[in-house]
Amino acid sequence: MLCPPGGNPRTPRHLISAADLTRDDAVLILDTAEEMARVADRPIKKLPTLRGRTVVNLFFEDSTRTRISFEAAAKRLSADVINFSAKGSSVSKGESLKDTALTLEAMGADAVVIRHGASGAPYRLATSGWIDSAVVNAGDGTHEHPTQALLDAFTMRRRLVGADAGLGRDLEGRRITIVGDILHSRVARSNVHLLATLGAHVTLVAPPTLVPVGVDRWPCEVSYSLDAVLPKSDAVMMLRVQRERMNAAYFPTEREYSRRYGLDGERMAKMPGHAIVMHPGPMVRGMEITAQVADSDRCTAVEQVANGVSTRMAVLYLLLGGSETALPSAAARTEENNA
Amino acid sequence: MSKTLIRGAKVLGGEPQDVLIDGETIARVAPSLDAGDATVIEAEGRILLPGLVDLHTHLREPGREDSETVLTGTRAAAVGGFTAVHAMANTFPVADTAGVVEQVWRLGRESGYCDVQPVGAVTVGLEGKQLAELGAMHDSAAGVKVFSDDGKCVDDAVIMRRALEYVKAFDGVVAQHAQEPRLTEGAQMNEGVVSAELGLGGWPAVAEESIIARDVLLAAHVGSRVHICHLSTAGSVEIVRWAKSKGWNVTAEVTPHHLLLTDELVRSYNPVYKVNPPLRTEADVMALREALADGTIDCVATDHAPHPHEDKDCEWAAAAMGMVGLETALSVVQQTMVDTGLLDWAGVADRMSARPAAIGRLDGHGRPVSAGEPANLTLVDPAYRGTVDPAGFASRSRNSPYEGRELPGRVTHTFLRGRATVVDGKLA
Ligand SMILES: [Zn+2]
C-alpha cells in the first residue's frame, strides 16, 4: 500500500504489500535505486536528503541482515536512525505493538520500518490510527516482504536487462522460477505480486505440501518438477527451507527434499547460459542449494545484499524525501479507489 | 398482576391480532379485544414472535467479568429479543460441576432479564480426557440437559461416544464444537484464497466436516442425539443433510455472522472479524442460508462471545476469537433470511425460538403465541433501519463486526413471563 498525501501533506505513505505497487511505481523505485547505487560508488556515500528525519527500525523478530540493510540505507540518506528491538517483550499478548507504536510516535518517528512475526502487523500499524508515521513492511509473518521483492527485481533487471539499458524498463517476458517453501514464505508472496506487475512469467516449484491452498488464484504457474522448469528459466530463486518442516511431515527427510528440490551443479547446468541463481538468504547449504552453486558466479546472493541497500534507500527516499513527483501513479490510483 | 394489550401486531407475520397478556400468561388472542384496564401497546406493522431462545451464549461469569457478567449478558439478550439463553461452560472455573452450573443458574434468576439455562461441560476442565459429572449437573437445580466443551472439540472418539451414550439416561444432548485439533494447529482464518494471500494460518473446512461426519455416525451407532454447534461450511451442511435423510437424531445451528460475513473481511487484518469457526466464503454463506431455510440447519444460535477492547486492539495473531451477537442477531436474520425471501416470520419463530427450545428441552419457551401459553414474547419493528453503534450496547463488550453497518429491524418490546424487560427498544 502506497498511500498518497491526499491533500494533507502530513499524511504519510506506506509500503505494506508489493501488490499495492503499480508497474510505474515499481519501475520508479527500481530507477531510483539505480541512482542510489551510483552514490555507493562515490568516495562519499552520503546524500543529505533525509537530514533531520528519523527512521525507526522496529524489529519484533531477529533479522540482523535486514535491519542492517535498512540502517545503512537510512544513514546514507543522512536520516537519524533508532534501532528498537522488541523481541522478548510481551509480544504474544499483542499489547506491545500498540504501546510501542505510541512510544515511537512520541519520539517523533517519521518512518517506522517494522519486522513482525504476525502477518498483517504492519498493516495494523499503518491503519489503526495508533501512529502518523510512514510504515515500511520489513517482513510480516508469512505474509509479505516487499523490499526483498524490490531488491530481487532490481537484481534481475540489472543482470538480465542491464544497469543502464534497464532504466525505465520492467521485466516483460522474463521467466522466473521460485523454488522451495512457498507456503511459509513472505518473500515468495511479495515476489509473485511484484514480478507479475512487472510483466514476468513466474513459476513456483515445491512439493505439493509446501504450496498454499488457494494458489490457483495467484498470477503464476505451479510445478512439482524442478527439472522440467529449469531449462525454461531466466532466473531461479531458491528459498530457504527450514529443516524443522520435516517434523510436521511437509517432506519425509532432508535428503529426499534436496534430491527432489535442491539445486546442485548438475541441475544448474540445465539452466540456459544467461540464467542466474538467486537466494534471499540466509542459505541452508546442503539443503536447498549446494556449496558449488552458492559460490558460483551465477549466484547473485552477495550482490542481492548490496542491492538491498540501494533499493531500501530508494523506498525511504520516495516515502520521506518530500519529492512531489514521487509515485504519482500510486496517488492517482488511490484517489480513484477512494472515490 | 398487570395486564398488557398488544394491539394489531402481526402474530408470526400473519394477520394483525390483539394479544392480551394477563400476569405471566397470554390470556387472549383475537382480531379485536377490549383494552379494559390493560396498558396498550400500539403495534401496527410490527411482528409478534415467541421470545427468542439462544442455544449458544458466552456469559463469561464466573471468571471473565471484565468482558461480560450474567447480568450484563442477560440485559443484552433482552435487548436482542431473547427470553432464554444457554450459558456456555467455558468459564473460569469451568462449568463442569453441579456447584458451578447452579451458581450460573442462580445468577440468571436474580438478573430477571432473561432465563439462563447453564450448559455443562462434557469433560473435566474441557480437557477432553475424563467425563464431567454429567448426571450431577442434570440433577442439580440447574437441570442441565445440554452438554458442551464448546471452545474445544471433544476430539477423542471414545470419549465422544461415551458422552453421547451416557446422556441418554436423562434425555440430554451433546453439543459438539467441531474442530479437528491437529488440522487447525496455528489456524487463524478460513483456509483458501484469502489465507493464501494474507499469509495467515489456514483453518480448513475439512477440520470441521471430518468431526461432524464422525459424530453423526457415532450418534447413529449408539442411538443418541447430537447437536452440532455453529456449522460454517457448505460441506458440513451436506453431511448433516445426509445424516437427517437417514433419520438420525442430528440437529445443527448456524450463527448470524456466518449467514452474512465472509473471509474477504479479513483482508483488513481487523481482529473484530476473528472468530471460531472462522468466517468462510460466499459459497458457504449461501449454502448455510439455504440450509437454514429448508430446515437442514435447525436453528440460529448467536455464539455471543464478548471480549474486552484490549483483546481486539492488537495484531491479528494476538487477538482473541469471537464476536458479540445477542443485540444484532434478529436484525442479521431479517436481512439475510427474511428480506431475501428465504424465510417468513413464522420460520424465524421456528428457527430462533421453537426449535432451539426443543433441542434444549427447555420448558415454557418456544411456545405458540396463543391463549394459555407463558407470555414470553418479542415484538419487532421490521421497517426500522439503523446503524449499529456498539457504544450503545447493553453488553459489557463492544466487539461487534457490524459496527457502522446498517441493519434492518429492531426489537421494540420483550416480555419475560408477562413482564416487559424491553420497552420501546430500551431496557425496562
Ligand atoms: Zn464453539
Side-chain angles (χ1 to χ4, degrees), chain A residues 91-94 97-98 116 118-121 123-124 130 140 142-143 189 193 212-215 217-218, chain B residues 191-193 195-201 264 267-271 309-310 312-318:
Chain A
V91 181
S92 60
K93 298 194 124 183
L97 176 60
K98 181 182 179 184
H116 200 290
S119 300
Y123 186 92
R124 286 286 282 162
W130 298 332
D140 62 328
T142 54
H143 177 221
R189 280 175 180 75
H193 287 308
V213 167
V215 75
R217 296 273 292 272
W218 291 10
Chain B
E191 179 167 334
V193 171
S195 67
E197 274 184 48
L198 297 186
L200 288 171
E264 288 292 328
R267 291 185 187 281
S268 67
Y269 285 107
N270 185 343
H309 181 67
E310 58 271 23
K312 291 287 191 180
D313 193 29
C314 54
E315 61 272 26
W316 182 276

Side-chain angles (χ1 to χ4, degrees), chain B residues 56 58 88 148-152 176-179 229-230 253 276-277 303:
Chain B
H56 195 143
H58 296 276
M88 273 300 171
S148 182
D149 276 1
D150 183 61
K152 287 191 178 173
Q176 175 70 294
H177 170 113
Q179 179 189 354
C229 296
H230 41 54
E253 70 191 31
N276 176 354
D303 197 5

